[in-house]
Amino acid sequence: MTRSISLCLFFFLFISWIPKLITSYPLSTKSRWIVDEKGQRVKLACVNWPAHLQPAVAEGLSKQPLDSISKKIVSMGFNCVRLTWPLDLMTNDTLASNVTVKQSFERLNLLDDVLGIQTHNPKILNLPIFNAFQEVVSNLGQNGVMVILDNHLTTPGWCCSDNDLDAFFEYPNFDPIIWTKGLSKMASLFRNVTNVVGMSLRNEPRGTRDYPNLWFKYMPKGGEAVHAANPDVLVILSGIDYDTNLSFLRDRFFNVSFTDKLVFEQHWYSFSDGRDSWEKHNSNDFCAKIIEKVTHNGGFLIGRGFPLFLTEFGANLRSGDVSGNRYMNCLVAWAAENDLDWAVWALTGDYYLRTGQKHMVETFGVLAPNWKDVANSTYLQKLSGIQLPVTGPGLQSKKLLFHPTTGLCVTSNLSNNSPTLRLEQCRKAEPSTFNPSEGILWSNKMCVEAPDAVGQKVKLGVGTKCSKLGQTSATHMHLSFKTTSNGSLLCLDVDERDNSIVANPCKCLTMDASCDPASQWFKVL
């Protein structure tokens, strides 16, 4: 979707607002927030960087220099990487210490990648695999990027399915004792590496033995092992059902010694709600329904005073993914409303080797296959709206009117004699307050003066000219009003030509599944 903000301007704005690098380590928790050593809110805005597939080397190093990739991560507004790793990296000494990067690629017949690494990252080519992993972490730290170490699976490869032999505790390739020792070793090896701020204990537990009882038996033990080996890092616990479900904690909990380090993680993809389900339902009703489910399954923990880290989500950026686009608009609205910490899947432009295919393109990847260019600038702009914290310890809360589809916020346009509204980067947008009886008030005390004609720009007025706005539709994201001339219902909308706010007939208030209401969705933060 073409927007008025040019690509060059977009990236200038990205670079200009990148948060100051966090230096006050280690991190801990304060109620539902992650904070630094001074007690100030730190929002994790991360990207997943896979290093768990068959070569057991961080992807992309045959395409670009490591330092260039790290700097690209920063330039895209991310302050954190969720770096995946296979358990064998800690429990199989032959793999970790006796196989070099070059040998790993050669045994998989990835000879082009050997040449690529020789060209772009010769320093790591003859390093043991674990030392190459350390180099990635170190370089990210040199660029001010925090790292979450995510134990993704046991044996290097692609993840995940119900039939994997390492799907859940006590499966053939998931020995809890070996897993605990591997976590402890990894935590110990990065004990004094300050940019390693957290460890995620296991990615997407799942399968026929996906029982809460086994989770309670082993997951806290894994957490204690990490905390004993490295008391500085956040300890991040995943749920069951591919990490979509933590609801078993609603009525039963557990005791651990690291209460000020405890974080929970949750995953949410469009296919978590059924394949193509977002195309088959009215977006307003379905979004409200799914948010209710996600809140029941994990979001409730926020209200109980625990940080919830959305560690995987994403959509196909390289094709017309209707379900994915609708889901992303809903997810971004929910993430913004709750000011969540998050990690998008994935950084990856392509994979060295995935399920037998060389250089498979990652359709969810924010980078192009050359690992240099951005795959979809509109998608990054959407994410930019949730990269900065809105509230939390040490921050002055700023109430905003957020447009999830664009990642922008509504602000006043006072450049002419008749002030109007438009979209702007959220960091530059004026604060606003919403009150159903008064409408929307901006910091300059002006309010929405809704037009009577369809397609007209929404103006700002004062006093008796203020329009009362209702939150129409199941999502409460349609902001509607009745015209004074004939009482017809109109909703705030966005004119894509100049990002101005206009009034149009409300979209998708019926059960029509073919309708997309996203341009009219505004989340009151």
Side-chain angles (χ1 to χ4, degrees):
M1 186 183 296
T2 303
R3 296 279 170 186
S4 60
I5 297 177
S6 70
L7 186 60
C8 291
L9 176 60
F10 171 63
F11 281 108
F12 169 77
L13 289 171
F14 249 143
I15 293 171
S16 69
W17 69 260
I18 291 170
K20 292 181 180 179
L21 302 181
I22 303 298
T23 57
S24 191
Y25 299 123
L27 304 185
S28 59
T29 65
K30 185 177 183 180
S31 184
R32 61 145 297 188
W33 308 107
I34 293 171
V35 297
D36 65 16
E37 200 169 33
K38 299 177 182 177
Q40 304 290 304
R41 166 88 194 274
V42 175
K43 181 168 183 174
L44 301 179
C46 314
V47 64
N48 281 274
W49 190 351
H52 66 275
L53 280 82
Q54 282 177 275
V57 174
E59 302 291 336
L61 298 181
S62 65
K63 296 291 185 74
Q64 296 294 332
L66 171 57
D67 193 61
S68 296
I69 297 174
S70 294
K71 285 180 167 56
K72 189 68 176 181
I73 290 168
V74 175
S75 75
M76 292 187 292
F78 301 109
N79 64 7
C80 163
V81 160
R82 181 177 181 249
L83 186 64
T84 67
W85 59 280
L87 188 65
D88 280 358
L89 193 62
M90 289 292 97
T91 59
N92 182 333
D93 290 337
T94 299
L95 174 67
S97 303
N98 298 327
V99 176
T100 66
V101 170
K102 182 180 180 181
Q103 290 169 339
S104 179
F105 282 89
E106 286 178 339
R107 69 182 182 182
L108 295 168
N109 197 32
L110 299 174
L111 303 184
D112 288 344
D113 288 301
V114 173
L115 294 175
I117 294 173
Q118 176 67 58
T119 300
H120 297 294
N121 293 287
K123 179 180 178 180
I124 72 164
L125 187 62
N126 292 305
L127 289 179
I129 287 177
F130 178 68
N131 295 121
F133 188 85
Q134 289 176 305
E135 286 292 323
V136 172
V137 173
S138 175
N139 189 266
L140 288 167
Q142 291 165 23
N143 283 280
V145 179
M146 296 176 283
V147 174
I148 305 293
L149 299 176
D150 166 62
N151 176 224
H152 214 70
L153 74 183
T154 299
T155 302
W158 184 245
C159 177
C160 303
S161 73
D162 285 342
N163 298 322
D164 292 336
L165 296 179
D166 62 352
F168 204 66
F169 299 113
E170 298 184 359
Y171 270 48
N173 286 358
F174 195 171
D175 183 323
I177 296 175
I178 295 174
W179 169 73
T180 302
K181 290 180 179 178
L183 290 176
S184 179
K185 184 176 180 181
M186 179 66 86
S188 178
L189 287 168
F190 284 98
R191 179 163 182 156
N192 296 314
V193 181
T194 56
N195 71 307
V196 174
V197 298
M199 284 189 61
S200 180
L201 302 192
R202 189 69 170 196
N203 180 66
E204 298 193 348
R206 63 204 175 276
T208 55
R209 295 184 191 174
D210 202 343
Y211 302 135
N213 285 343
L214 287 177
W215 191 99
F216 281 110
K217 181 178 180 180
Y218 295 118
M219 193 67 77
K221 289 181 180 178
E224 293 288 3
V226 167
H227 184 64
N230 186 342
D232 286 341
V233 295
L234 300 172
V235 181
I236 304 165
L237 277 59
S238 54
I240 60 176
D241 298 332
Y242 292 85
D243 199 12
T244 63
N245 190 358
L246 290 152
S247 64
F248 54 89
L249 296 174
R250 297 180 74 91
D251 302 315
R252 178 183 175 187
F253 213 73
F254 56 94
N255 295 316
V256 290
S257 64
F258 50 90
T259 53
D260 65 340
K261 298 289 184 178
L262 178 60
V263 177
F264 292 98
E265 64 173 300
Q266 187 172 9
H267 292 181
W268 179 15
Y269 288 103
S270 66
F271 48 79
S272 304
D273 312 315
R275 296 283 177 180
D276 301 321
S277 56
W278 287 84
E279 289 186 69
K280 299 173 183 177
H281 298 87
N282 173 275
S283 291
N284 285 312
D285 296 333
F286 198 62
C287 177
K289 176 182 176 182
I290 297 303
I291 285 179
E292 183 178 354
K293 184 186 82 170
V294 172
T295 301
H296 176 273
N297 284 354
F300 71 94
L301 289 164
I302 297 171
R304 296 192 180 183
F306 295 100
L308 182 66
F309 188 7
L310 186 64
T311 51
E312 281 192 31
F313 66 96
N316 189 336
L317 308 184
R318 292 167 173 81
S319 68
D321 182 6
V322 175
S323 280
N325 290 337
R326 293 182 178 183
Y327 136 87
M328 276 298 299
N329 291 329
C330 182
L331 179 145
V332 168
W334 180 70
E337 180 180 28
N338 290 284
D339 204 5
L340 292 178
D341 301 279
W342 51 266
V344 67
W345 188 273
L347 179 68
T348 327
D350 67 351
Y351 296 95
Y352 305 122
L353 183 68
R354 173 177 158 180
T355 59
Q357 181 177 334
K358 296 180 180 180
H359 294 287
M360 178 188 289
V361 173
E362 173 54 89
T363 58
F364 283 44
V366 298
L367 289 181
N370 63 9
W371 282 78
K372 179 180 180 181
D373 299 323
V374 170
N376 187 318
S377 60
T378 301
Y379 186 75
L380 275 188
Q381 180 178 294
K382 184 194 297 283
L383 293 179
S384 74
I386 56 173
Q387 283 179 321
L388 288 178
V390 176
T391 188
L395 297 176
Q396 183 175 356
S397 296
K398 182 179 180 180
K399 295 185 180 296
L400 297 167
L401 189 58
F402 178 63
H403 191 244
T405 305
T406 59
L408 301 174
C409 289
V410 179
T411 195
S412 59
N413 183 9
L414 304 176
S415 60
N416 51 47
N417 294 329
S418 182
T420 56
L421 295 174
R422 61 180 172 82
L423 294 180
E424 176 60 272
Q425 294 286 326
C426 291
R427 69 179 184 89
K428 299 171 70 176
E430 293 176 272
S432 61
T433 57
F434 174 77
N435 185 314
S437 64
E438 297 180 314
I440 299 175
L441 297 177
W442 264 262
S443 55
N444 53 20
K445 305 302 181 183
M446 302 186 79
C447 60
V448 169
E449 180 185 336
D452 264 346
V454 170
Q456 285 189 349
K457 292 184 178 181
V458 175
K459 297 180 181 180
L460 286 173
V462 293
T464 58
K465 293 185 177 181
C466 294
S467 298
K468 296 180 181 179
L469 296 178
Q471 291 178 298
T472 308
S473 78
T475 60
H476 302 293
M477 286 195 282
H478 279 82
L479 297 181
S480 63
F481 60 91
K482 290 184 178 180
T483 61
T484 56
S485 60
N486 59 14
S488 60
L489 191 69
L490 298 180
C491 281
L492 300 189
D493 204 342
V494 176
D495 187 332
E496 296 181 6
R497 296 171 297 180
D498 60 0
N499 279 343
S500 62
I501 306 303
V502 297
N504 279 322
C506 301
K507 298 179 182 177
C508 314
L509 300 186
T510 66
M511 297 300 291
D512 182 6
S514 64
C515 182
D516 185 1
S519 69
Q520 294 186 344
W521 276 0
F522 295 87
K523 175 58 69 173
V524 179
L525 304 183

